[in-house]
Amino acid sequence: GAVVSQHPSWVICKSGTSVKIECRSLDFQATTMFWYRQFPKQSLMLMATSNEGSKATYEQGVEKDKFLINHASLTLSTLTVTSAHPEDSSFYICSARWGDFQPQHFGDGTRLSIL
Amino acid sequence: AQKVTQAQTEISVVEKEDVTLDCVYETRDTTYYLFWYKQPPSGELVFLIRRNSFDEQNEISGRYSWNFQKSTSSFNFTITASQVVDSAVYFCALSEPNAGNMLTFGGGTRLMVKP
């Protein structure tokens, strides 16, 4: 149980393109979903927290207009990297939990490469 | 502020050796959770364990064991008789209910198990 699916797993696109990443909880309702970014050989850095039906809360230094997050249902959150540039290339990973005191379950991540 | 330190950035062992990954944390709260995650080369985060601050019992799961010592604010992870498949980056993490149970990750320890 507690499976989180993330799609796509790998994206390569040209600079200036907007890229949408989906995060789905397959067998539970996720009251909260999280988006992380991980640079090579570094730890996970929280970008934003999203609760279903409300605006995402972004961490300091994360541009909300650059990284659009939508959590329209209890099983789906999307991260859109708008007008992506090479410096946005990274590993993006989402997680979801069904309650405040439940552990986060992670998706498999998305490798984003902007040429 | 909460903080997690994994002092060992990389560890290399030969198969069948035992290895301990260190984790030291800082928190002002008396109630908190500690986690270990495994991130193999494919990138996904695999949940290994969650321990709450009131449960100091050590835990064993197969070749894995965890030693929680509140007196030293440590939550160390030992792999017995390591195998090549154990090669991965391991993250220790902390969450506090009073802070929305957000995960704070340590920097990670890259474990390389050589045949």
Side-chain angles (χ1 to χ4, degrees):
Chain A
V3 178
V4 176
S5 172
Q6 193 170 334
H7 177 81
S9 55
W10 203 311
V11 180
I12 302 174
C13 57
K14 292 181 179 179
S15 185
T17 307
S18 291
V19 179
K20 180 185 280 189
I21 304 170
E22 291 188 350
C23 180
R24 293 181 185 273
S25 57
L26 298 186
D27 52 1
F28 66 97
Q29 292 188 323
T31 53
T32 308
M33 287 185 168
F34 304 84
W35 288 95
Y36 295 85
R37 184 173 182 176
Q38 185 181 29
F39 289 108
K41 296 194 176 184
Q42 293 190 22
S43 189
L44 282 77
M45 298 301 296
L46 180 66
M47 298 175 66
T49 303
S50 74
N51 292 295
E52 185 265 342
S54 58
K55 288 185 179 179
T57 302
Y58 289 81
E59 295 299 300
Q60 195 170 12
V62 178
E63 300 175 56
K64 57 181 69 176
D65 294 332
K66 175 74 171 177
F67 299 100
L68 300 178
I69 291 172
N70 184 281
H71 192 166
S73 77
L74 282 171
T75 59
L76 174 64
S77 176
T78 60
L79 167 67
T80 301
V81 184
T82 60
S83 187
H85 292 283
E87 58 267 27
D88 299 322
S89 299
S90 189
F91 187 63
Y92 294 86
I93 190 165
C94 72
S95 71
R97 67 184 186 197
W98 65 83
D100 287 351
F101 296 97
Q102 299 301 320
Q104 294 179 30
H105 296 274
F106 287 82
D108 287 349
T110 297
R111 296 193 187 279
L112 176 61
S113 298
I114 308 298
L115 305 176
Chain B
Q2 54 188 21
K3 184 179 175 182
V4 179
T5 302
Q6 294 178 253
Q8 307 145 308
T9 52
E10 284 193 12
I11 300 176
S12 181
V13 299
V14 177
E15 208 169 17
K16 297 184 183 176
E17 285 185 12
D18 299 347
V19 58
T20 296
L21 283 61
D22 297 334
C23 174
V24 175
Y25 62 91
E26 295 177 31
T27 177
R28 293 179 182 175
D29 279 13
T30 55
T31 303
Y32 51 90
Y33 295 92
L34 294 164
F35 302 78
W36 276 95
Y37 288 90
K38 174 182 179 180
Q39 187 177 40
S42 49
E44 74 274 19
L45 270 184
V46 178
F47 168 78
L48 296 179
I49 190 172
R50 179 178 73 161
R51 179 51 55 98
N52 75 60
S53 53
F54 298 107
D55 183 2
E56 279 195 79
Q57 276 193 333
N58 292 331
E59 180 150 344
I60 298 175
S61 177
R63 296 184 296 108
Y64 295 171
S65 62
W66 292 269
N67 183 1
F68 179 24
Q69 298 275 348
K70 287 180 77 170
S71 59
T72 55
S73 296
S74 65
F75 187 43
N76 296 339
F77 173 32
T78 297
I79 302 175
T80 304
S82 59
Q83 299 176 2
V84 174
V85 293
D86 296 326
S87 297
V89 180
Y90 291 86
F91 290 99
C92 180
L94 167 74
S95 72
E96 296 164 308
N98 286 341
N101 265 325
M102 313 299 281
L103 278 173
T104 297
F105 286 89
T109 297
R110 182 176 300 274
L111 174 65
M112 292 171 285
V113 181
K114 299 178 181 177

